[in-house]
């Protein structure tokens, strides 16, 4: 079997309500754009993968796929490890080629009549997920939201910090703990890893080391599961100091890249929980290597999965094959972030069941296809 062509397209699904993200306080998001890659073969099997794409970089992502195509057409989709260096060479100068690797795995699975996670080597067939919130809402609303999650069967929730003052961030954790007792594990994301906010002078505010440590100490008292991205993503030493000084697990890595950066973080002791993203850090098979290195250090790997369309499913196949894994991110902040808008273009929504777990699909490849009618309805020009 040979790769015959690679094409890409994009669909923009409008939100029913305006969405006010915690990661850009003051901004309003009105839609979700999903970038779709399709790798075609001479035997008629097509592999698909998706990720998010702000409108402004769609053209760059398309160019990346076009460029990568020149290195992959005529090659076997099974030869992922042999082709990895080509992906890495393209990644030097282009945006996120990893999605194409993920589509190759969809082909490998379909051609082998096996789900991808079975090919990787399954560690489990149900994925325990936490509801990842993303919106700025009142404390009273968050108490209700948390109770609603419990009634729906969720076992964990991730809050996001965004306030000027630490006490206002802490108040959300206290309120949720007060509302649900020990019925939910609570994680919190400080979103301090990105550079944009630092460059624009702190929106959301840039944390000092002391703020990170003080917040971690307070979260320990509230029996939280972890604090995510409390410092800049390259502050390996600051993160390592924090990890040594507090008992609360420190998590991060969603925008770090390549197995070598993760190895460095592990050498330094920066994180207790690595969170590589299988469309940003590297592709699905390379995230498994990051998880293996983490395992050798006695650390966890809970991949980051705020990735629309098939994105969480791609990540589920990775998570299902990682022994040192505990929780997967499931973007869910109803009534705004729901499978309708976030998974959007898939043929069947994948949702957690009463035990808070999503069963892995049995169908070959990624196990869920795309809804072509819906893509047609929301397709935009790149
Ligand atoms: Mg995060």
């Amino acid at each position: 079997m040979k790769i015959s062509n690679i094409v890409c397209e994009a669909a923009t699904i409008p939100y029913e309500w305006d969405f006010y993200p915690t990661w850009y306080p003051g901004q309003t998001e009105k839609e979700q754009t999903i970038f779709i890659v399709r790798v075609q073969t001479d035997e008629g099997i097509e592999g698909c993968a998706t990720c998010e794409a702000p409108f402004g970089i769609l053209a760059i992502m398309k160019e990346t796929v076009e460029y990568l195509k020149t290195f992959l057409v005529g090659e076997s989709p099974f030869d992922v490890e042999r082709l990895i260096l080509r992906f890495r060479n393209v990644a030097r100068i282009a945006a996120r080629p990893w999605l194409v690797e993920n589509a190759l795995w969809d082909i490998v699975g379909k051609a082998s009549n096996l789900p991808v996670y079975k090919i990787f080597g399954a560690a489990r067939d149900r994925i325990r997920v936490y509801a990842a919130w993303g919106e700025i809402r009142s404390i009273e609303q968050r108490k209700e939201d948390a109770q609603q999650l419990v009634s729906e069967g969720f076992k964990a929730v991730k809050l996001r910090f965004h306030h000027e003052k630490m006490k206002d961030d802490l108040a959300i954790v206290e309120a949720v703990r007060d509302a649900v007792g020990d019925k939910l594990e609570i994680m919190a994301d400080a979103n301090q890893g990105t550079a944009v906010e630092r460059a624009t002078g702190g929106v959301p505010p840039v944390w000092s080391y002391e703020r990170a440590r003080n917040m971690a100490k307070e979260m320990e008292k509230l029996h939280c599961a972890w604090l995510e991205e409390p410092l800049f993503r390259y502050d390996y030493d600051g993160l390592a100091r924090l990890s040594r000084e507090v008992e609360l697990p420190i998590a991060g890595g969603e925008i770090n890249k390549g197995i070598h950066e993760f190895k460095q973080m592990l050498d330094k002791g920066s994180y207790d929980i690595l969170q590589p993203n299988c469309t940003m850090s590297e592709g699905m098979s390379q995230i498994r290597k990051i998880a293996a290195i983490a395992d050798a250090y006695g650390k966890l790997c809970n991949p980051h999965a705020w990735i629309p369309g098939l994105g969480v499913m791609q990540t589920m196949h990775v998570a299902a094959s990682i022994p040192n894994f505990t929780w997967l991110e499931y973007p869910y902040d109803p009534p705004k972030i729901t499978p309708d808008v976030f998974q959007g273009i898939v043929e069947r929504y994948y949702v957690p069941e009463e035990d808070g777990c999503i069963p892995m699909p049995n169908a070959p490849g990624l196990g869920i296809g795309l809804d072509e009618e819906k893509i047609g309805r929301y397709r935009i020009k790149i």
Side-chain angles (χ1 to χ4, degrees):
M1 185 187 295
K2 300 232 180 307
I3 297 168
S4 57
N5 196 14
I6 307 177
V7 296
C8 58
E9 59 189 323
T12 293
I13 300 177
Y15 290 159
E16 202 173 326
W17 294 276
D18 285 350
F19 179 73
Y20 306 102
T22 54
W23 44 88
Y24 292 128
Q27 285 196 21
T28 307
E29 291 183 4
K30 295 179 178 298
E31 60 197 18
Q32 172 80 65
T33 295
I34 305 177
F35 185 72
I36 304 154
V37 160
R38 300 174 195 265
V39 178
Q40 297 161 346
T41 63
D42 60 355
E43 294 186 19
I45 294 178
E46 180 180 272
C48 301
T50 72
C51 70
E52 78 283 10
F55 187 77
I57 66 160
L58 273 175
I60 300 171
M61 292 176 71
K62 183 179 180 182
E63 291 292 328
T64 298
V65 170
E66 292 289 325
Y67 182 47
L68 187 60
K69 189 168 98 173
T70 63
F71 295 96
L72 296 184
V73 166
E75 298 291 349
S76 165
F78 287 87
D79 295 358
V80 176
E81 285 296 336
R82 189 172 59 77
L83 300 173
I84 283 299
L85 285 179
R86 302 186 191 183
F87 283 90
R88 291 191 180 143
N89 274 338
V90 168
R92 283 181 305 142
I93 49 171
R96 296 169 78 174
W98 317 115
L99 208 54
V100 176
E101 189 214 301
N102 299 351
L104 293 185
W105 285 107
D106 193 28
I107 294 172
V108 171
K110 285 170 176 167
S112 313
N113 202 28
L114 282 169
V116 173
Y117 79 106
K118 295 278 190 187
I119 295 171
F120 285 162
R124 61 190 60 79
D125 58 12
R126 300 179 70 77
I127 304 297
R128 196 163 69 144
V129 298
Y130 60 84
W133 285 346
E135 192 170 52
I136 297 174
R137 293 187 195 168
S138 72
I139 284 184
E140 283 312 307
Q141 184 60 51
R142 281 313 188 193
K143 284 183 166 186
E144 274 180 41
D145 293 346
Q147 284 160 342
Q148 166 95 12
L149 289 181
V150 172
S151 72
E152 291 178 20
F154 280 93
K155 309 297 180 207
V157 62
K158 189 168 83 188
L159 325 173
R160 282 190 164 79
F161 295 147
H162 54 85
H163 289 99
E164 278 299 322
K165 297 212 173 341
M166 182 183 127
K167 70 175 174 54
D168 296 318
D169 282 339
L170 183 60
I172 308 175
V173 192
E174 289 170 336
V176 170
R177 180 57 85 212
D178 184 51
V180 299
D182 60 4
K183 293 196 180 103
L184 290 180
E185 287 268 16
I186 300 175
M187 304 82 166
D189 192 344
N191 280 124
Q192 294 291 308
T194 42
V196 178
E197 290 78 1
R198 299 176 75 84
T200 53
V203 181
V206 177
W207 286 18
S208 64
Y209 177 80
E210 286 68 30
R211 179 165 176 173
R213 187 187 55 208
N214 293 341
M215 178 56 92
K217 294 275 190 196
E218 291 300 324
M219 287 177 65
E220 277 170 13
K221 293 181 204 160
L222 292 162
H223 310 291
C224 293
W226 72 65
L227 173 59
E228 184 169 321
E229 288 198 320
L231 297 169
F232 186 52
R233 69 181 178 280
Y234 290 124
D235 188 2
Y236 297 161
D237 291 321
L239 287 160
R241 181 182 161 203
L242 182 64
S243 289
R244 282 195 305 273
E245 290 186 359
V246 302
E247 285 180 23
L248 184 77
I250 303 300
E254 66 189 59
I255 38 179
N256 289 91
K257 294 189 194 314
I259 58 177
H260 303 88
E261 282 191 21
F262 287 89
K263 166 72 162 52
Q264 274 185 296
M265 289 187 267
L266 289 163
D267 283 341
K268 296 258 188 189
S270 304
Y271 289 122
D272 303 292
I273 303 169
L274 295 187
Q275 299 175 303
N277 174 307
C278 72
T279 66
M280 275 195 285
S281 303
E282 282 222 24
M284 289 168 67
S285 63
Q286 305 307 300
I287 300 304
R288 296 185 66 243
K289 293 181 184 173
I290 292 168
I293 304 170
D295 200 16
Y297 282 79
K299 306 292 186 186
L300 295 174
C301 181
N302 291 347
H304 174 258
W306 193 282
I307 316 167
L310 284 171
V312 178
M313 180 53 66
Q314 287 157 213
T315 317
M316 278 173 56
H317 282 274
V318 179
S321 69
I322 297 177
N324 47 319
F325 157 88
T326 53
W327 292 98
L328 189 68
E329 176 166 45
Y330 182 76
Y332 187 65
D333 204 357
K336 298 189 178 178
I337 300 294
T338 59
D340 259 7
V341 290
F342 200 78
Q343 296 175 23
I345 53 160
V346 301
E347 63 182 1
R348 172 173 71 77
Y349 298 142
Y350 45 100
V351 296
E353 297 182 341
E354 277 172 14
D355 62 350
C357 296
I358 307 180
M360 291 302 296
N362 293 317
L366 292 174
I368 291 187
L370 300 174
D371 181 337
E372 301 298 343
E373 186 277 324
K374 211 163 174 186
I375 292 173
R377 200 180 335 149
Y378 294 118
R379 185 178 286 119
I380 57 168
K381 193 168 158 34
I382 305 180

